[in-house]
Amino acid sequence: MSASKLQALWTPLAWLNNPTGGAWARDVLLEIDASGYWSGITSGASSVQAASVNAHLLSGPLLPGLVNAHSHAFQRAFAGLAERRESEHDDFWSWRDRMYRVALAISPEQLKAVAAQLYIEMLRGGYTHVCEFHYLHHAPDGCVYDDPLTMIWMLIEAAREAGIGLTVLPVLYERAGFNAPALRNDQRRFATDAAWILAAQKRVNESTSGSLVNSGVAIHSLRAARPESINTLVASSQGPIHVHVAEQTGEVDECIKTTGLRPVEWLLRNHVLDSRWQLIHATHVTQDEIEGVAKSGAAAVICPTTEANLGDGTTDVAAWLNAGAAMSIGSDSHVTRDCREELRLMEYGQRLQHRARNIAASPATGQTATAERLFARVTTGGAAAAGHGLWGLTVGARADALVVDPSEPALLGFPPSRTLDAMVFSSPAQPFANVVVAGRWVVRDGAHPLQNSAANAFAKAMREIWSDAA
Ligand SMILES: [Zn+2]
C-alpha cells in the first residue's frame, strides 16, 4: 500500500475522544503530521481554515478506526465450516478438535493468503489495527522452520499488503492442561517456551521499527503455560501481555481444582496487573474479579460473535462498564469481520439474558446511548491492547479513521447526531467505503487496490485446505 499521504481532513461531524470516552463535534478539522499521527484537531473550523491546510473535505461523519484486539488469522479459513453437529454433543472442545485440522494443515503461503483477505475485510468492517494472538509457529510435523519466525513473517507481510496496523503477539504454549507435562501431538505446531517468545519479540521489533507493526507477548491460558514461564515472560518482555482467561466453565473448574483459585483471581493474586494486561474473553468472572481488574488498570477483551458461536456464555458487560474497566473487542475466530456486529451482539446477549433493554447505557452518568457508550469504551481501550499510548480521534494518536456514508440506507434522513445508534442497531450496514490508516487511504470509494488478487489467492488457499471436504 502506498497511497499518497493526507495532510488534513475536514468533516461536518466527527466522534472525538473526550474524558468520558467520546462525543460528536461539528465542523472538525483534523491535521496529520509527517509520521501519520493526528497533530491538530479543531472543532467549529471554517472552510477557509480547512483550505489553508489543504484539507480533504468529507461529506459524511468521521469515526475512529477500531483496534481488533483479538485475532487468530488462520481461523478465517474455518469460518462457516464448523456449523454441523455430527454427534450427540457439540461444544467448545469438540469445535477445537476440528479447528486443529486447519491448524495442522495450513502452509505459510496459505496463511499469508488467508490473512491478507481477512485484513482487507477487517478494514471494510471498521478495524484499522489488529492484534494477532499467534500460536501457529512450526511446520505441520512440529519441526521448527529454517527461519523459526516463518509464519510470523507471513502475517506481517499480509498486514503490510492490506495496509492495516498489526501487533504481533507470539504465544507461550507449553502444555495441554494444568497437570499435563507437555502438549498433545495435535498441538505440535504451537510448542514454545518463554525464551522462544522473547527471542521472537526481539527479532520482530528489530525488523519492523518505523512501520505499522509492533509487538507484545501472549500467554495462551493459565492451563497451557507454567507459572514460572509466565513470570519470566512478564519480567523480560515489552508491550501488551494478552492472555485467554475464563472463557469456559471447564477451564475455571480445572483452575480451582489445581490452584484453589478462579483464573482471574489467580492472576490478581500472583501478578501485579496493570494496563499491559489484556484479559481475553473473561467470560466467567465474579463481581470481585471485575472490580479487581478494573482497579488494576488491566483490560477485558470481549469477542461476542465468537463467544456466541462457541457457546461460551456471556460476560457481565454492564458490570465491566460500570466498574470503569478498559475494554476492547476482537473478532477472534472471524465468524464475522465487522465491528458493528460485535457491538450489537455485545448488547443483545445481555438483553436476551436479562429481558431488558439498553443494558450498556448509564442514565446515572448521562450516558444514555448504548451504542455510543460501547463504541467509546472499545475505542480508547484499543490503545493498550495494541501497545499504543493513545487511540481514536485525539491529538497524538495514529491518524486512523472511517468515513461514514450518509447515503447508507440506515442513515437516510436520520438525525446525524444519532449515527452510531443507527450503525449498530439498524442493520445490515454497508462495508466502510473510505478508510484511513496512518494518514493514508487504504480503502477508497469502496475499493482496496489488492482486493481482487487477495480474493483469488484466498479462494485458492481455501480450495487446497478443504479439497477433501464432502
Ligand atoms: Zn482466542
Side-chain angles (χ1 to χ4, degrees), residues 70 72 133 244 280-281 332:
H70 191 60
H72 307 285
F133 195 105
H244 286 135
I280 315 298
H281 304 300
D332 191 357

Side-chain angles (χ1 to χ4, degrees), residues 174-184 187 222-225 254 258:
E174 297 178 299
R175 60 184 187 183
F178 281 100
N179 295 307
L183 293 170
R184 299 182 347 189
Q187 297 171 319
L222 299 185
R223 70 173 185 275
E254 279 293 301
T258 314

Side-chain angles (χ1 to χ4, degrees), residues 71-79 95-96 98-107 110-112 114-115 118-119 132-137 151 155 189-190 332-334 458 462 465-466:
S71 165
H72 307 285
F74 78 92
Q75 292 183 15
R76 172 67 183 85
F78 192 49
W95 169 86
R96 191 185 70 160
R98 282 186 275 168
M99 180 267 284
Y100 280 177
R101 189 189 131 163
V102 179
L104 283 169
I106 196 163
S107 70
Q110 289 164 345
L111 176 65
K112 195 198 137 189
V114 168
L118 170 66
Y119 294 161
E132 269 298 331
F133 195 105
H134 177 66
Y135 53 79
L136 192 52
H137 295 297
M151 297 296 257
L155 295 172
R189 299 191 77 176
F190 317 154
D332 191 357
S333 69
H334 311 303
F458 174 68
M462 287 294 283
I465 294 166
W466 295 101

Side-chain angles (χ1 to χ4, degrees), residues 148-420:
L149 303 200
T150 293
M151 297 296 257
I152 287 180
W153 303 136
M154 293 295 142
L155 295 172
I156 290 175
E157 186 56 21
R160 195 188 62 75
E161 286 185 5
I164 198 168
L166 170 67
T167 300
V168 179
L169 304 162
V171 177
L172 176 66
Y173 208 146
E174 297 178 299
R175 60 184 187 183
F178 281 100
N179 295 307
L183 293 170
R184 299 182 347 189
N185 183 46
D186 59 3
Q187 297 171 319
R188 59 189 178 269
R189 299 191 77 176
F190 317 154
T192 53
D193 57 23
W196 196 99
I197 302 301
L198 293 170
Q201 178 173 51
K202 188 162 176 282
R203 279 189 71 198
V204 169
N205 288 349
E206 283 166 0
S207 67
T208 57
S209 93
S211 73
L212 301 180
V213 181
N214 64 1
S215 77
V217 295
I219 298 152
H220 181 274
S221 53
L222 299 185
R223 70 173 185 275
R226 296 184 181 90
E228 332 56 276
S229 306
I230 299 176
N231 291 341
T232 305
L233 209 54
V234 171
S236 304
S237 63
Q238 298 144 18
I241 303 165
H242 290 230
V243 55
H244 286 135
V245 70
E247 178 179 8
Q248 289 287 319
T249 52
E251 178 205 349
V252 175
D253 296 344
E254 279 293 301
C255 191
I256 293 171
K257 211 156 69 180
T258 314
T259 69
L261 298 169
R262 306 170 59 81
V264 173
E265 210 180 4
W266 187 91
L267 282 173
L268 287 163
R269 295 263 188 98
N270 288 280
H271 289 277
V272 182
L273 299 192
D274 58 19
S275 61
R276 291 181 74 193
W277 287 84
Q278 306 294 311
L279 277 46
I280 315 298
H281 304 300
T283 306
H284 302 286
V285 289
T286 63
Q287 182 69 28
D288 281 353
E289 287 175 312
I290 291 173
E291 284 170 15
V293 171
K295 220 175 287 170
S296 74
V301 179
I302 316 294
C303 309
T305 64
T306 294
E307 289 153 8
N309 186 274
L310 299 184
D312 287 344
T314 53
T315 196
D316 189 340
V317 173
W320 284 108
L321 287 164
N322 295 339
M327 297 172 79
S328 55
I329 51 171
S331 63
D332 191 357
S333 69
H334 311 303
V335 285
T336 178
R337 285 78 69 188
D338 191 303
C339 69
R340 294 161 290 193
E341 287 194 44
E342 300 294 349
L343 295 171
R344 184 181 316 128
L345 188 59
M346 196 180 325
E347 168 68 18
Y348 279 177
Q350 307 293 304
R351 292 190 190 187
L352 288 163
Q353 196 177 332
H354 299 291
R355 287 175 286 169
R357 303 188 69 251
N358 290 305
I359 308 284
S362 172
T365 59
Q367 296 169 293
T368 55
T370 295
E372 292 185 0
R373 192 169 187 228
L374 288 171
F375 189 82
R377 188 67 63 94
V378 305
T379 300
T380 53
H388 278 240
L390 294 166
W391 199 265
L393 302 187
T394 191
V395 171
R398 197 171 70 201
D400 288 16
L402 315 167
V403 183
V404 176
D405 178 0
S407 68
E408 153 112 32
L411 295 174
L412 290 173
F414 206 79
S417 64
R418 301 218 173 177
T419 294
L420 274 169

